[in-house]
Amino acid sequence: MTEITTSTAKMSFILFSATADKLQAAATMISGAAAMDVETHVFITFWGLNAFRKDSITQPLPMPKEYGEMAEMMGKLMVEKGVDPWYELLRMAKDMGNVHVHACAMTADLLGLTKDDFDPMVEDVIGVGTFVQIAEGGSIVFI
């Protein structure tokens, strides 16, 4: 098994979902990668794009049905325990450097969105081919 050092490691995340649990988990992993100086790229597509809109980024997100009655309790526990919301974790990760957030051009076009519609943490709107080139040589996580 090859050992990967943090100075040359690269990870790419594909965010397809816009549920609170998945975005919170992704933001936590991305923050961890940033803290370890791992080059990290985030490609937001389909439902994930709506979560990154300027007009909705701080709005509560739905929890999946699997959480059932526990959904409300989980939200309360996160507040009680001082867990930063996903978008704040992601902003902090970007502030550490080496984290790049890209919106999917095809999905943005389907939804009639432009770069101006997204939170400033979204750097650009790119096609999947460009993302594949960026992600080449690193690990890819699909959420």
Side-chain angles (χ1 to χ4, degrees):
M1 179 177 232
T2 305
E3 184 175 318
I4 298 175
T5 61
T6 57
S7 61
T8 59
K10 178 169 42 171
M11 291 185 76
S12 296
F13 291 81
I14 301 169
L15 299 183
F16 178 86
S17 177
T19 59
D21 63 325
K22 290 183 176 101
L23 287 175
Q24 191 71 37
T28 300
M29 289 187 286
I30 292 162
S31 295
M36 295 177 67
D37 198 30
V38 174
E39 178 183 342
T40 306
H41 293 271
V42 182
F43 187 69
I44 315 153
T45 188
F46 288 96
W47 294 275
L49 279 182
N50 280 327
F52 284 81
R53 292 171 65 141
K54 282 180 192 174
D55 60 357
S56 63
I57 195 159
T58 60
Q59 299 302 310
L61 295 171
M63 288 291 274
K65 292 178 184 172
E66 296 88 35
Y67 279 81
E69 295 175 4
M70 291 184 63
E72 186 177 339
M73 180 193 69
M74 290 298 290
K76 286 179 182 178
L77 278 174
M78 290 179 67
V79 170
E80 286 175 17
K81 301 285 184 176
V83 176
D84 290 315
W86 70 271
Y87 54 88
E88 289 298 333
L89 280 175
L90 200 49
R91 283 187 182 130
M92 287 186 275
K94 279 197 55 79
D95 289 346
M96 283 185 239
N98 226 12
V99 174
H100 308 278
V101 180
H102 317 280
C104 174
M106 182 196 74
T107 306
D109 185 53
L110 284 172
L111 298 175
L113 301 171
T114 68
K115 184 179 179 316
D116 292 336
D117 294 308
F118 298 112
D119 184 86
M121 80 171 87
V122 176
E123 295 173 23
D124 52 19
V125 179
I126 63 173
V128 71
T130 300
F131 175 72
V132 168
Q133 288 176 328
I134 290 169
E136 185 177 4
S139 300
I140 296 177
V141 179
F142 190 86
I143 299 177

